[in-house]
Structure formats: structure tokens, C-alpha cells
Amino acid sequence: MQMRRILLVVCALVMLVAAVPIHATTGPFVFVSNHASGQILKIDASDGTTTVIYTEPEGFLPEDLVVGPDNKLYICDPSNNRILRMNQDGSDDETVYQSGTDPVKPQGPRFNAAGDLFFNTKGSTHSGIWRIPGIASFDFGYIPSTLVPVQVLTEAQTVSPGGEGLAFANNGDLLIVDAAGEKVLRSLDPNFSSAAALISSGLDAPTGIARDMNNKIYISNGGELNNIVKCNPDGTGCAEFVSFVAVGEEEVSDRPFYLEFTLDNTLFVATTDVDGENGKLWRVDQSGVATVVKELCLEEEDGFCGPAIGVAVEATSRAITETY
């Protein structure tokens, strides 16, 4: 009889555990920059619960961001020519790079497997691609003054001004969005001595770039397309993966900015509407079906809802940079 009772209890516990879905109450967490509102948000992708982890009184205009191999957030603030980093709860924030001289307007931060931070330079002040070596190995407050950006590729080598997102292919090649030239460039690892066009058609005001666990390349288009295209690793076979163009007459199209994959191959995308307002975080499954995780502004303040620009996932870029 006692054995039977034990078995019944065990079976009941097994059934209870099986009934609780993975991420029933938490995660995965996604970090989003609410650009014009000067905020960094931490969003629970399972239910949209949102926490403002960081904000500044004025002048903070965060764009793309990334979680480094040290599990800290690195945030580009190109309007103020700086890169910040902080813990995932917004604490211990510090400026890890700021300058009024070249390079300015940092954008598209990405780490390689060695813990080096690469970034593009944005717009008319584009000066190429830069790297801050080994920055993830230094704790808060201990970054030496000698640790400065090193130029990887010059403006001439990246063909035209207008840099935006970066990504690494799983063999270490660097993928570069040339927004002005409406191209994606590839620079071969390990020398990064030159860059050549990899994708030069089907792009319209491209901004973000990511690659999945199969090394497929995804590029977000603004302009008139407002979609994400998916390409083979060699740049061929590009086709629309998901569209954010409105269907109904009263609906408003959304413009995708930056994007990043989790390690289970789920894509998260930050968007605004075509007026640069009403930011959203989207989840896109492997078949290209998009669902809204969170509308960043459910109630308007002063008639304006801030845009969503940058997006980062908890899995470190080191994990998604290494070869599968």
C-alpha cells in the first residue's frame, strides 16, 4: 500500500512538471533601445513584461546594442559619439569609448570569439570599420586609457559612406551593411585587409544584418520595402523572408531596423512605423511568421511614442559567432 502511495505521488509530480511549459514565467529576455525616449528596455519575450533598466535625463539616443562574451550590454550612442556598457540590470554603467574625432558615430556593435568589439561608423562621417581589442576582458572601471579603437577597414575599402550593421559569418568573415551603397560587403577573416560586395541587389535603405545557425544571412530593409530578406551564405538566392508592409488601408507599415537570433534560431526584430514612432519588438519563427512581442508605447506621452531601434539577446555574440 505504501509503495502504491509513493508511485501515485511520483506520477502526480511528473504530470505537474510536464504541464508547466518552458519559459512559463520568464525569458528569454530581449534588450531593446527605445531611441527617442533615451531608454534601454529588458523585455520578457514570453509575455512582453517590460522593465526600463537604463535611462538618462536628456541627450541619450541609443541605437544598436549587443551582449558581449562578458554578459554585459554594449550600446552604441552615435549621436553622442560614444559606446556604453552596463550590467543586464542597467547597473555599473560606464562609457567605454567616446571621442569628438575619428572614429565618430559608432554603430552596429559585434564581438568576435576573442572578445574584440567591432563597430561600423554611421552616415556621412563613415570612416570604415574599427575594433577595440579584448575589451570584454576588462572589468568595470578598469579599462586602460591605452585601449583605443584600431582601424580595421578604411572608408575607401568599404566603398561608400553610410555604414550600419555588422555580423560575423560562422567562418569568421565580417559582414558589413553599406546603407548608402545599398550593399552588403564581406571582409575575409583573419586579415580583414579588404572588402568586396557580397549582396548588391534587392536592398533598399538596409540597416540591420544577422545570420542564423545555418549561416544564412538576413538583412532588414527600410525605404519602400520594409522587409527582411534571406540570402545564402555566398550572397545568392536572396528572397523576402518576412514583410512588415501594412495590408489594410488603415494600417501603417513598420520599418525594421536591427535584428538578432537566439541560439534556437528565433529571430527578434526592432521596428518603428514609417513616421519613426510607435516602436515594436517582433518575434519571427523559422517559417517567416512574425508576431508582436511588445508595443513599446501603449499610451502616448506628449503625442509621441518612441521607436525601437537596437535589439540584443541574452545569448552572447561570442556564442553565435563561433562555428557551429
Side-chain angles (χ1 to χ4, degrees):
M1 177 66 76
Q2 177 129 5
M3 179 64 69
R4 182 181 176 188
R5 285 179 183 167
I6 293 173
L7 288 173
L8 287 172
V9 171
V10 170
C11 288
L13 288 172
V14 170
M15 290 176 67
L16 178 62
V17 171
V20 178
I22 298 174
H23 302 313
T25 56
T26 60
F29 291 107
V30 182
F31 301 92
V32 176
S33 63
N34 193 346
H35 173 72
S37 299
Q39 298 175 331
I40 304 300
L41 310 176
K42 185 177 183 179
I43 301 175
D44 186 330
S46 64
D47 60 10
T49 299
T50 301
T51 304
V52 178
I53 63 168
Y54 187 82
T55 188
E56 285 193 358
E58 59 181 296
F60 178 47
L61 297 169
E63 296 196 27
D64 200 16
L65 59 156
V66 68
V67 178
D70 51 3
N71 288 317
K72 297 178 178 65
L73 273 171
Y74 290 75
I75 302 152
C76 283
D77 180 10
S79 297
N80 295 294
N81 301 321
R82 64 177 178 166
I83 300 173
L84 286 76
R85 77 170 175 178
M86 62 189 66
N87 287 323
Q88 293 188 18
D89 62 1
S91 63
D92 292 332
D93 61 292
E94 67 177 350
T95 298
V96 297
Y97 172 72
Q98 184 166 29
S99 178
T101 59
D102 218 17
V104 295
K105 296 190 180 300
Q107 190 63 296
R110 282 295 178 268
F111 279 89
N112 66 2
D116 300 337
L117 177 61
F118 288 69
F119 62 90
N120 209 337
T121 42
K122 181 180 177 180
S124 60
T125 56
H126 172 73
S127 61
I129 311 299
W130 298 76
R131 174 176 63 95
I132 305 179
I135 192 170
S137 64
F138 294 95
D139 205 353
F140 288 114
Y142 290 95
I143 296 178
S145 59
T146 54
L147 190 66
V148 296
V150 177
Q151 194 167 42
V152 177
L153 292 164
T154 66
E155 177 191 355
Q157 289 173 311
T158 51
V159 185
S160 65
E164 288 287 353
L166 297 178
F168 281 95
N170 65 3
N171 63 356
D173 292 351
L174 183 60
L175 308 175
I176 305 158
V177 173
D178 171 16
E182 298 187 330
K183 297 181 180 67
V184 169
L185 311 174
R186 178 173 59 187
S187 186
L188 304 180
D189 180 67
N191 298 318
F192 300 121
S193 58
S194 63
L198 179 68
I199 302 167
S200 55
S201 63
L203 303 183
D204 180 18
T207 303
I209 185 169
R211 61 96 173 166
D212 67 13
M213 64 185 299
N214 299 311
N215 211 26
K216 301 282 188 178
I217 301 167
Y218 298 71
I219 308 105
S220 60
N221 286 308
E224 298 296 323
L225 294 179
N226 292 313
N227 67 0
I228 293 173
V229 296
K230 175 182 177 180
C231 305
N232 293 323
D234 62 359
T236 63
C238 296
E240 182 174 273
F241 176 65
V242 59
S243 173
F244 298 94
V245 174
V247 177
E249 291 184 4
E250 297 183 2
E251 299 295 324
V252 178
S253 297
D254 289 286
R255 178 185 178 185
F257 278 86
Y258 291 97
L259 59 161
E260 193 164 354
F261 279 95
T262 58
L263 293 181
D264 67 357
N265 230 27
T266 301
L267 182 63
F268 287 94
V269 185
T271 71
T272 74
D273 62 22
V274 291
D275 295 322
E277 302 180 14
N278 303 311
K280 297 183 183 72
L281 173 66
W282 300 75
R283 177 195 292 109
V284 186
D285 67 19
Q286 295 177 36
S287 64
V289 175
T291 55
V292 176
V293 175
K294 180 72 175 182
E295 294 185 32
L296 298 195
C297 187
L298 300 177
E299 296 181 5
E300 290 192 14
E301 298 178 6
D302 300 323
F304 178 79
C305 295
I309 301 293
V311 61
V313 298
E314 279 194 300
T316 67
S317 285
R318 177 175 182 176
I320 63 174
T321 295
E322 290 175 339
T323 302
Y324 285 96

